[in-house]
Amino acid sequence: MLIPCIDLEGGQAVQLVHGRQRELAVADVFGLLKRFKDYSWLHIIDLDAAMGKGHNDELARQLCGAARNDFGMKVRVGGGIRTVARAVQISKWGARQIIVGSAAFRDGKVNTTFLRQLAKRVPKKKIVIALDTARGQIATHGWRKRIALHAEEVMVKLEPFCAGFLCTDVDREGTMTGANLAWFQTLRDATSHPVIAAGGIKTRREIAALETLGMDAAVGMAMYKDKLR
């Protein structure tokens, strides 16, 4: 399954290269939503919240509602969800699932205390844990920090707290240089949970290859630039 992404920064939908360099911005965010309306799932990521630079709460909430109510899409919302209260708040927007990343780790380890507290307030079926990887290590806080853990090493420990994983190859994010299928195969072998692949995906052949692995594909830059072939 192909999942389009709307990444929010400063009230616009943006696409970044390696999570840092802005490649493009779209002011008409709801026009973008209409463009994606025929897809079953949508990802809405608040990059400002992820990077600790404010938030796009009202816009994200409106997008989530419109995607669900106007087009019947299922939505995952992520970015800066680092407290249980925040997770509960966003889950009430009508999102089918929320994406938790940085808060799943603390002091270089899996933050089981937070995850247990989260599980008491938000059903496991609504939680997806982001395992973003830069130079082989898990990246957190809007990909600005790295911890000495590998995604495939922590998946089993995280499985009791989530319904699946969103795994982004930060080294290829926004580059359209192709999916790292070998890495995604390693992740697929490490967990029985659903895995959503992201980072560098540029062709439908790659999406088909990921489907063969049993993975969905979250696609950004190739869709924004209409390069997906």
Side-chain angles (χ1 to χ4, degrees):
M1 182 190 302
L2 190 162
I3 304 168
C5 308
I6 296 180
D7 296 343
L8 299 174
E9 186 177 66
Q12 300 183 98
V14 303
Q15 284 293 291
L16 307 181
V17 178
H18 304 309
R20 294 180 179 272
Q21 177 184 342
R22 182 187 287 196
E23 177 73 12
L24 56 84
V26 179
D28 184 9
V29 180
F30 286 91
L32 196 61
L33 175 60
K34 290 179 181 178
R35 178 179 165 188
F36 295 153
K37 65 183 176 62
D38 292 330
Y39 292 91
S40 298
W41 278 92
L42 173 71
H43 284 185
I44 299 172
I45 308 296
D46 189 337
L47 295 180
D48 287 325
M51 298 175 191
K53 301 189 302 183
H55 60 76
N56 296 273
D57 279 8
E58 186 58 24
L59 178 56
R61 186 186 64 78
Q62 291 178 7
L63 279 170
C64 186
R68 184 193 60 177
N69 298 326
D70 296 345
F71 305 122
M73 302 177 80
K74 293 172 282 190
V75 184
R76 293 187 184 97
V77 176
I81 303 176
R82 294 181 188 141
T83 67
V84 173
R86 176 83 170 152
V88 171
Q89 175 193 24
I90 292 177
S91 68
K92 292 179 179 178
W93 292 354
R96 181 67 62 93
Q97 292 180 320
I98 61 172
I99 302 165
V100 176
S102 304
F105 303 94
R106 185 175 182 180
D107 298 328
K109 300 177 182 178
V110 172
N111 189 354
T112 52
T113 299
F114 167 77
L115 292 169
R116 288 193 186 104
Q117 292 171 346
L118 180 64
K120 293 177 182 178
R121 300 291 305 279
V122 180
K124 172 183 173 180
K125 67 181 180 180
K126 294 193 70 171
I127 302 296
V128 169
I129 293 180
L131 294 175
D132 305 329
T133 295
R135 299 181 185 177
Q137 295 181 326
I138 292 174
T140 63
H141 297 84
W143 303 337
R144 279 4 186 211
K145 299 180 181 180
R146 284 185 287 156
I147 53 180
L149 292 174
H150 301 278
E152 63 272 19
E153 297 172 345
V154 298
M155 284 175 146
V156 171
K157 193 168 185 178
L158 292 168
E159 284 178 349
F161 304 105
C162 68
F165 299 103
L166 170 61
C167 298
T168 300
D169 183 349
V170 179
D171 298 323
R172 301 195 186 199
E173 177 68 11
T175 65
M176 293 189 296
T177 53
N180 185 346
L181 295 175
W183 181 61
F184 288 124
Q185 178 69 69
T186 298
L187 298 178
R188 178 69 283 165
D189 293 341
T191 180
S192 59
H193 271 27
V195 177
I196 305 151
I201 300 167
K202 66 174 182 177
T203 68
R204 295 191 181 276
R205 180 176 294 179
E206 290 168 355
I207 295 169
L210 289 165
E211 182 180 8
T212 299
L213 294 180
M215 294 185 178
D216 291 338
V219 182
M221 193 72 79
M223 294 192 72
Y224 280 69
K225 290 192 169 185
D226 197 24
K227 298 288 187 180
L228 190 66
R229 297 289 185 269

